[in-house]
Structures are given as structure tokens and as C-alpha cells.
């Protein structure tokens, strides 16, 4: 098996706007932090796409033998509504007439269930914002001591101008200039308290009706959203770590603020490589809860929606996402998903045959070159669409091998089988998690055995046995139908 020692990964570092050789801070180890969901409602397919992009990256690193610590948080406090007036979780709790922590529990469970259906590996650590209030308060104290934050009416703000005056570079990730930010700011909340409009909240004093509040040296209140990721990433990955990821829409202000907070506190660039996944669109518009332009994974999977002509298996959704590069925009449409479904089946049915192929003399297909090309695709900023196109070439070869139009030497065949398995199952994560998906072949063969046994019993006039087979199947919801062509079955 090839390892990280034989593979130079190049990845697109948003911090420098170019592809760079990936060299982790400590050879063989990778620390990766990805911003998790704000658990105030059901996760939508756009969110899923971003988490899936990082799942494949995580899987590939592990495949190469890296020891990865993958941290993905749960935002369960501090993320304000778009007009900055209230915490998203509190708002939802009020609407649903339940406790904020019930909101958190409900949507965290939904998030986990959906990601499991889409076959994402769980992170190694999944910290919550509310579980790290102490660390966030400590970070604020540090920034106050350094003179990079100030208190106003019980709230604490990060002083962006001071940070830049002292050598900081607010805007380095997003490429925005402070002057433009000031001109374009629409941030109304706390405006009167802030020294400058681009300053952002580290701690907010809670209004009397705000339910989610914690004591602090400045007020009973709650931490700013950007702070949690700095507190949790440094706690679990150190003041400097290898990779920070998230959706493109988090680049500004969220990630820009994270850099400023960490650099302000610790004086060093916190993250070596910033990775940003592009958006999933629906009807050409960003999928987003706030505009109502969404479709939920459960709606797609159950078929309970007006966009898709039939239910879509979660693994097809996964395949559909992986057919696009993570840095490209992807539009979700009925036609595109139906085409992905066809493609997935073509690929999966060929790959299922692979373990049954027997070796022969050699063929013209250069297995080693094919394997190298697959790694090259993955090493080139995790190019899953190219990898999938190589897998389609492999499917053609498998079908040829199956028809005995071509053969592979025992050694090549073993190499090929292992490699296909690694790419398709381990790295792309495309194993079918449930047999119920269009593939009834195993049930068909089991039923054929039972029907044959029943026919045998009937031939031998063993009526009690033949009745028992029929009745017990019927109890399990499988109805036998005797017709001219023989016996068939229906599932109730
Ligand atoms: P949120 O729960 O809104 O904080 O989002 C969780 C993650 O999903 C973040 O990394 C977002 O950048 C990402 N995200 C949100 N909308 C989309 C979308 N339409 N396509 C892809 N990723 C998205
Ligand atoms: Zn974050």
C-alpha cells in the first residue's frame, strides 16, 4: 500500500489563494478543524455537501497512514440571527416552546443521523460551544490584557483597528480592505457601543429576555460566535495546526475573525492551510435556510418533495456530490441526480463483480499506471471527479474481464482488486449501507430456495410443511402467489 511518504499532496490554500505542497507541522500527524453546524434546525443538503467534502479529505489522509485528529464542533450558543438581534437557538426555542438545550439535542441528533446515512465517518472530537465557555472567557481575558479588546456596557469587542496597527492583518484571508468594510457595514447591533463598525463581539451582555446566559467578569451574557472555534481548535489541536476547513461562506467574517483572535492572543498564524468548500445551489441560488431555498436530505431520500421524480438513496446523493470537485459550485437538479444514479449503478455493479474474477494471462491494461493516475487525482487537491472517471475506466475493464475478453495476471488482479476497494469504499465511502436499494437479488435467491422446498413438499404431498412455509412467510409480510408460470412472491 502507498503511504504519505510516496504521495505529495497539493492542496488549495485559501490563505494564499494558490495550490501548495501539503507539509504537515509534524511528519505523519495531521490536526484538522472543521466548523460544524449551528444546531437550530435540520441540516440541509448544502451543509451536508461541505461536511462530506471534508469527510473524503479525512478518509484520504487516513488511507495514506497519517494519524489524523479531526475536530468538528457543534455550535450550540452564540450564533446570532442575520439581523444580529437574537441567538438562533434561543429564537428557535421560543418558536417551538421548548428549552434551548432541547433544540440543541433535537437537531444534533438529526445532524448525526443524516451524516450517518450519508456514510460520513465521525470526527475524533466533537466539542460544543457551551461546553467551552470557560476557555472562551480565558481567551477574552488574554485579548483584554494585550489591549486588543475593550469592554463596553458589559459586552467585550475585538479592536480590529488596534490589531492592525500592531501588525495584524485583518482581511488577509478574505482579501477585504478595512476601508471597504467600514463603507459596507450593515452591522447595526451594538454599533453605538463599538469603537469601529468592523469590531466584532467576543462577549455579549444578555438582555433580560435572553435565555442562554453565563456569568463572566463583564456581565451575565454569552460568547460571540467566532470565539468558540478559536477556543476549541487551540484546546484540542494547539496554537498552530495544519488544516482549518468550512464552507466558502464562512471565510468572512467568521474565519477572518478566528485568525485575528488567535494571532492577537498567541502571536502566531494559527492555521497552516485554510480549505474552503464551495456551495451547493438549488435553482442556481445558494441553498440556504434563511431564504427558504432548501431541500432536506430526508425529503430527498424519502421522495417527499416536489423536485425529484423518485426517492434517492443516500449513497447516490454521496456519489452525486463527489462527482463535482469540492471547490466547484454544484447545482442540485432532478436530471443531474438521475444521471448520477445511473452512473453509480453502472459502477457499483461492475465493482461488485471484481472479487469473482479469476486471473489469466496478462492484458494490455497497465494496472500500475491506472493506480498511479488515481493517486495523482487525489493528490491534486482531492480531485474526486477525476478519480471517479478513472473508476469508470476500471468498470469497463472489469466487464471485459467478466466476459473473458481480457485477463489479468494473478499479481495484477490482486493489485487491482485492492486498489479499487480502497478508492471506492475506503476513500470515497461508497459502500451500499442497505441491501434494500433496487438490489433484490439476495432476497430473490433466498425466496427461490423456499419456493423450491415448498414445491418439493407439495410433490411429496407433505401439505403441513408446504402450508407452514406459505403461512410463515405470510406472517413476515411475504405473500406467495401460485400461477401458471410457477410461484412468485409479493412484499406487503
Ligand atoms: P451553519 O450550520 O449555517 O453554520 O453551516 C454549516 C456548514 O455548512 C458551514 O461550513 C457552511 O459554510 C456550510 N454551508 C451552508 N450552506 C451551504 C451550501 N448551500 N452549500 C455548501 N455548504 C454550505
Ligand atoms: Zn467556526
Amino acid at each position: 500500500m502507498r503511504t504519505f511518504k510516496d504521495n505529495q499532496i497539493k492542496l488549495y490554500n485559501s490563505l494564499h489563494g494558490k495550490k501548495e505542497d501539503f507539509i504537515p507541522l509534524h511528519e505523519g500527524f495531521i490536526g484538522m478543524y472543521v466548523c460544524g453546524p449551528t444546531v437550530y434546525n435540520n441540516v440541509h443538503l448544502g451543509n451536508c455537501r461541505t461536511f462530506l467534502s471534508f469527510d473524503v479529505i479525512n478518509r484520504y489522509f487516513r488511507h495514506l497512514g497519517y494519524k489524523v485528529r479531526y475536530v468538528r464542533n457543534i455550535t450550540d450558543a452564540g450564533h446570532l440571527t442575520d439581523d444580529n438581534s437574537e441567538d438562533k437557538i434561543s429564537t428557535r426555542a421560543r418558536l417551538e416552546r421548548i428549552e434551548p438545550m432541547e433544540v440543541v439535542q433535537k437537531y444534533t441528533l438529526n445532524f448525526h443521523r443524516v451524516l450517518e446515512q450519508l456514510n460520513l465517518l465521525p470526527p475524533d472530537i466533537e466539542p460544543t460551544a457551551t461546553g467551552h465557555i470557560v476557555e472562551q472567557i480565558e481567551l477574552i481575558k488574554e485579548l483584554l490584557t494585550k489591549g486588543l479588546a475593550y469592554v463596553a456596557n458589559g459586552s467585550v469587542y475585538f479592536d480590529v483597528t488596534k490589531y492592525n496597527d500592531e501588525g495584524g492583518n485583518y482581511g488577509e484571508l478574505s482579501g477585504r480592505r478595512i476601508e471597504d468594510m467600514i463603507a459596507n457595514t450593515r452591522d447595526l447591533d451594538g454599533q453605538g457601543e463599538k469603537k469601529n463598525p468592523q469590531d466584532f463581539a467576543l462577549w455579549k451582555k444578555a438582555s433580560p429576555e435572553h435565555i442562554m446566559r453565563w456569568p463572566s467578569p463583564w456581565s451575565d451574557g454569552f460568547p460571540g460566535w467566532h470565539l468558540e472555534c478559536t477556543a476549541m481548535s487551540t484546546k484540542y489541536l494547539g496554537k498552530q495546526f495544519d488544516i482549518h476547513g468550512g464552507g466558502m461562506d464562512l471565510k468572512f467574517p467568521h474565519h477572518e475573525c478566528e485568525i485575528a483572535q488567535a494571532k492577537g492572543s498567541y502571536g502566531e498564524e494559527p492555521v497552516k492551510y485554510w480549505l474552503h468548500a464551495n456551495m451547493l445551489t438549488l435553482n442556481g441560488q445558494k441553498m440556504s435556510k434563511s431564504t427558504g431555498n432548501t431541500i432536506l436530505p430526508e425529503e430527498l431520500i424519502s421522495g417527499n418533495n416536489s423536485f425529484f421524480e423518485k426517492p434517492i438513496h443516500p449513497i447516490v446523493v454521496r456519489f452525486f456530490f463527489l462527482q463535482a470537485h469540492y471547490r466547484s459550485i454544484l447545482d442540485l437538479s432532478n436530471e443531474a441526480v438521475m444521471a448520477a444514479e445511473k452512473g453509480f449503478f453502472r459502477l457499483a455493479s461492475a465493482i461488485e463483480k471484481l472479487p469473482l474474477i479469476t486471473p489469466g494471462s496478462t492484458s494490455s491494461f497497465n494496472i500500475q499506471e491506472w493506480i498511479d493516475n488515481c493517486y495523482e487525482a487525489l493528490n491534486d487537491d482531492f480531485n474526486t471527479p477525476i478519480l471517479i472517471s478513472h473508476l469508470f475506466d476500471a468498470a469497463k475493464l472489469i466487464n471485459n474481464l467478466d466476459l473473458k475478453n481480457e485477463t489479468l495476471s494473478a499479481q495484477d488482479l490482486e493489485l487491482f482488486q485492492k486498489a479499487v476497494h480502497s478508492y471506492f469504499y475506503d476513500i470515497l465511502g461508497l459502500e451500499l449501507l442497505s441491501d434494500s436499494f433496487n438490489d433484490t437479488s439476495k432476497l430473490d435467491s433466498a425466496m427461490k430456495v423456499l419456493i423450491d422446498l415448498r414445491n418439493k413438499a407439495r410433490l411429496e404431498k407433505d401439505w403441513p410443511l408446504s402450508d407452514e412455509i406459505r403461512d410463515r412467510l405470510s406472517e413476515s409480510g411475504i405473500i406467495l402467489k401460485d400461477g401458471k408460470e410457477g410461484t412468485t412472491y409479493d412484499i406487503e
Side-chain angles (χ1 to χ4, degrees):
M1 197 190 93
R2 287 180 35 165
T3 71
F4 58 84
K5 294 208 164 90
D6 331 295
N7 284 271
Q8 179 56 63
I9 296 177
K10 269 191 182 299
L11 45 76
Y12 186 89
N13 187 356
S14 308
L15 188 60
H16 303 137
K18 58 178 170 53
K19 276 190 200 165
E20 294 174 354
D21 280 347
F22 173 63
I23 300 162
L25 291 163
H26 307 284
E27 202 195 346
F29 293 85
I30 294 177
M32 176 160 88
Y33 185 91
V34 171
C35 295
T38 306
V39 282
Y40 71 106
N41 56 18
N42 287 323
V43 62
H44 63 63
L45 280 161
N47 306 134
C48 295
R49 181 184 180 210
T50 287
F51 298 125
L52 174 61
S53 301
F54 290 101
D55 180 58
V56 171
I57 292 172
N58 175 34
R59 282 168 176 267
Y60 185 46
F61 285 148
R62 284 172 203 261
H63 167 81
L64 292 181
Y66 279 112
K67 185 142 184 14
V68 184
R69 180 178 292 164
Y70 175 27
V71 183
R72 190 185 63 212
N73 71 300
I74 296 277
T75 298
D76 58 352
H79 199 166
L80 299 182
T81 47
D82 291 342
D83 63 356
N84 263 347
S85 64
E86 213 183 341
D87 186 298
K88 289 188 179 192
I89 289 164
S90 297
T91 314
R92 191 72 187 198
R94 208 165 25 76
L95 282 174
E96 294 197 22
R97 292 170 179 274
I98 52 177
E99 278 290 314
M101 276 300 141
E102 283 181 281
V103 172
V104 166
Q105 178 72 1
K106 182 173 167 184
Y107 295 111
T108 302
L109 287 175
N110 167 268
F111 173 65
H112 286 158
R113 198 164 42 237
V114 167
L115 292 203
E116 200 176 319
Q117 273 184 308
L118 293 173
N119 202 24
L120 271 77
L121 297 178
D124 301 292
I125 306 179
E126 195 170 46
T128 61
T130 56
H132 295 77
I133 302 286
V134 173
E135 287 81 353
Q136 295 179 74
I137 290 178
E138 288 307 306
L139 202 56
I140 300 174
K141 284 186 189 160
E142 182 75 27
L143 288 166
L144 281 166
T145 309
K146 297 241 158 82
L148 292 172
Y150 56 92
V151 183
N153 295 330
S155 292
V156 188
Y157 295 97
F158 187 91
D159 192 335
V160 173
T161 315
K162 186 90 182 293
Y163 169 71
N164 268 9
D165 287 349
E166 294 189 0
N169 186 9
Y170 190 77
E172 63 182 299
L173 179 67
S174 57
R176 299 190 189 206
R177 293 175 344 124
I178 292 221
E179 301 76 47
D180 300 339
M181 291 178 213
I182 296 171
N184 296 331
T185 190
R186 288 192 296 118
D187 182 4
L188 298 174
D189 183 58
Q191 196 77 325
E193 296 173 353
K194 291 195 214 171
K195 286 191 194 165
N196 292 296
Q198 69 278 10
D199 293 350
F200 55 89
L202 299 169
W203 187 264
K204 292 281 282 182
K205 180 181 175 178
S207 54
E209 63 279 10
H210 196 102
I211 325 168
M212 301 180 79
R213 52 169 69 221
W214 291 265
S216 81
W218 314 287
S219 64
D220 270 11
F222 55 94
W225 170 40
H226 314 308
L227 196 63
E228 59 170 285
C229 288
T230 305
M232 295 188 280
S233 58
T234 36
K235 172 157 181 166
Y236 298 110
L237 299 173
K239 290 175 184 166
Q240 272 197 307
F241 55 96
D242 298 298
I243 293 181
H244 193 314
M248 212 76 111
D249 56 342
L250 296 189
K251 219 185 211 181
F252 186 86
H254 186 55
H255 292 159
E256 196 73 72
C257 295
E258 275 190 51
I259 295 181
Q261 291 164 159
K263 246 176 147 173
S265 306
Y266 311 121
E268 22 187 23
E269 195 68 61
V271 176
K272 204 165 172 200
Y273 303 94
W274 280 92
L275 267 55
H276 287 101
N278 216 327
M279 297 290 108
L280 181 72
T281 58
L282 183 64
N283 298 319
Q285 299 292 320
K286 179 190 165 190
M287 187 172 285
S288 153
K289 256 289 151 69
S290 52
T291 57
N293 189 39
T294 53
I295 171 157
L296 300 180
E298 43 273 47
E299 291 169 340
L300 191 64
I301 293 164
S302 67
N304 188 13
N305 65 79
S306 50
F307 288 100
F308 292 88
E309 62 192 59
K310 59 178 186 154
I312 311 296
H313 192 278
I315 218 69
V316 171
V317 181
R318 189 174 169 108
F319 182 74
F320 170 70
F321 285 161
L322 296 179
Q323 275 188 312
H325 188 258
Y326 79 93
R327 282 192 297 112
S328 311
I329 290 178
L330 175 65
D331 193 55
L332 186 67
S333 69
N334 183 56
E335 295 69 38
V337 174
M338 293 306 145
E341 189 186 73
K342 274 205 194 96
F344 175 75
F345 273 122
R346 216 154 23 96
L347 204 51
S349 59
I351 286 172
E352 271 178 12
K353 281 187 233 158
L354 189 53
L356 309 172
I357 305 286
T358 47
S361 53
T362 49
S363 91
S364 55
F365 196 94
N366 187 333
I367 295 295
Q368 195 52 57
E369 191 178 291
W370 179 81
I371 291 175
D372 291 345
N373 290 340
C374 291
Y375 276 110
E376 203 178 299
L378 286 164
N379 292 339
D380 183 13
D381 200 22
F382 316 103
N383 201 323
T384 54
I386 302 275
L387 174 64
I388 288 174
S389 76
H390 293 322
L391 284 170
F392 275 113
D393 292 340
K396 257 188 236 153
L397 173 65
I398 296 168
N399 290 332
N400 269 338
L401 294 168
D402 187 43
L403 295 171
K404 309 264 182 269
N405 291 343
E406 227 168 328
T407 56
L408 287 180
S409 68
Q411 198 192 1
D412 268 0
L413 183 61
E414 196 190 331
L415 259 182
F416 186 51
Q417 282 167 335
K418 277 198 184 135
V420 169
H421 196 280
S422 296
Y423 301 135
F424 193 71
Y425 297 111
D426 302 343
I427 299 171
L428 296 179
L430 289 170
E431 58 266 75
L432 269 178
L433 300 178
S434 111
D435 284 342
S436 62
F437 179 40
N438 273 11
D439 179 11
T440 53
S441 56
K442 289 201 180 86
L443 178 64
D444 285 342
S445 10
M447 285 305 298
K448 186 166 180 318
V449 173
L450 285 169
I451 290 169
D452 286 350
L453 285 175
R454 178 166 167 265
N455 288 342
K456 195 162 161 243
R458 289 164 89 191
L459 222 69
E460 289 165 3
K461 301 206 175 353
D462 185 350
W463 308 120
L465 181 60
S466 84
D467 287 351
E468 187 183 347
I469 294 174
R470 189 196 57 216
D471 295 345
R472 287 185 58 186
L473 282 172
S474 165
E475 279 164 25
S476 319
I478 300 174
I479 310 299
L480 293 183
K481 292 194 303 189
D482 298 315
K484 272 195 219 120
E485 308 289 322
T487 306
T488 55
Y489 72 93
D490 262 350
I491 298 180
E492 272 183 333

